[in-house]
Every structure is written in C-alpha cells, then in structure tokens.
Amino acid sequence: MAVQKKSEAISGKHGTFVVKICYCENNTWQGYVVWAEKNKKEYFRSALELMRLIDDALSMPTQTNIENKEEIAKKA
C-alpha cells in the first residue's frame, strides 16, 4: 500500500500547527508536529498522541494569560 506523505498547517485563534504525517502503520499515524509560534517540534507515534501534544501546547499558560488573571484578581 502506497502512503502519501502529507503536511498541513492548521491556523487558529490559539496557535498554528504544522503536522507532518510520515507513516501510516497499525491503522494510525506517525510523524511530527511543529508549533509555529514557539518553533517547537515534537514527534508522535499515534493520532491520539498527536491530539495530546496539541492539547498540552494549547493549555500551557502564556504570559498574556497570567497577566489577564492578575488583572481580574486585582479588580475583585
């Protein structure tokens, strides 16, 4: 079975991720994902691991989020 190598960028409100699917074995994907804003590259061995990497990246606290939380706390 021929596997097409594919790379796709998904841009959103919280981040831009470039996903490179290198292999499709055991009915799942293997490849890497690059978080464009942070220039961080992580390899994954399954589609589930890919989703977890992206979820973890988006749930990381940023300086802007920390500053917003501090402003809200001061107003309260």
Side-chain angles (χ1 to χ4, degrees), residues 14-43:
H14 299 288
T16 303
F17 298 90
V18 178
V19 178
K20 175 74 173 185
I21 308 298
C22 297
Y23 304 100
C24 184
E25 295 178 1
N26 300 321
N27 293 322
T28 192
W29 297 335
Q30 295 86 40
Y32 61 87
V33 59
V34 178
W35 186 4
E37 287 82 8
K38 302 276 185 175
N39 199 26
K40 292 176 87 175
K41 181 178 183 179
E42 291 286 336
Y43 289 89

Side-chain angles (χ1 to χ4, degrees), residues 37-63:
E37 287 82 8
K38 302 276 185 175
N39 199 26
K40 292 176 87 175
K41 181 178 183 179
E42 291 286 336
Y43 289 89
F44 59 89
R45 296 165 293 197
S46 69
L48 178 60
E49 190 173 7
L50 168 63
M51 294 297 113
R52 286 184 178 159
L53 287 170
I54 293 172
D55 185 54
D56 289 347
L58 293 178
S59 63
M60 288 176 51
T62 62
Q63 187 61 34

